Amino acid sequence: MSRGMPRLPRPLMDLWDWQSQAACRDVNPELFFSPESERGVRKRAREMVAKSLCGTCPVQPECRQHALAVGEPYGVWGGTTESERDNAPLEHRKSA
């Protein structure tokens, strides 16, 4: 390969293969995403259940890293909520 040739991107399967191993792959996505009207105790309870499933997941770090890297604005990803990701130190978001 010559120096002037740009590197080809990694195959998409390599980038997303971790999702096939996720504990949530067969779970109703409503567990991870809040309806617009959901607030307070009900929202915290749903998030707690979602986060407990994330705690059993073999690809939790990859999921959290993805959410931080892309700035995922909604839902529970890798055991983190929207507000937890918003409050993550900037260096965690950049390194993700």
Side-chain angles (χ1 to χ4, degrees), residues 42-84:
R42 177 167 267 159
K43 181 175 182 173
R44 286 190 300 277
R46 182 193 45 75
E47 288 174 341
M48 189 168 57
V49 173
K51 289 171 77 169
S52 69
L53 180 61
C54 292
T56 70
C57 186
V59 294
Q60 181 183 10
E62 291 90 339
C63 184
R64 179 178 36 247
Q65 190 173 41
H66 163 77
L68 288 167
V70 302
E72 185 59 56
Y74 303 108
V76 174
W77 289 79
T80 62
T81 63
E82 300 102 335
S83 62
E84 290 167 338

Side-chain angles (χ1 to χ4, degrees), residues 1-65:
M1 187 161 102
S2 73
R3 288 185 187 178
M5 294 279 297
R7 278 188 33 213
L8 294 174
R10 290 175 43 197
L12 286 178
M13 191 61 177
D14 288 351
L15 296 174
W16 301 103
D17 191 45
W18 60 269
Q19 291 183 346
S20 67
Q21 302 166 42
C24 64
R25 70 185 171 278
D26 296 322
V27 175
N28 186 335
E30 290 180 4
L31 174 62
F32 299 92
F33 297 94
S34 174
E36 194 171 312
S37 63
E38 185 181 61
R39 302 276 188 275
V41 174
R42 177 167 267 159
K43 181 175 182 173
R44 286 190 300 277
R46 182 193 45 75
E47 288 174 341
M48 189 168 57
V49 173
K51 289 171 77 169
S52 69
L53 180 61
C54 292
T56 70
C57 186
V59 294
Q60 181 183 10
E62 291 90 339
C63 184
R64 179 178 36 247
Q65 190 173 41

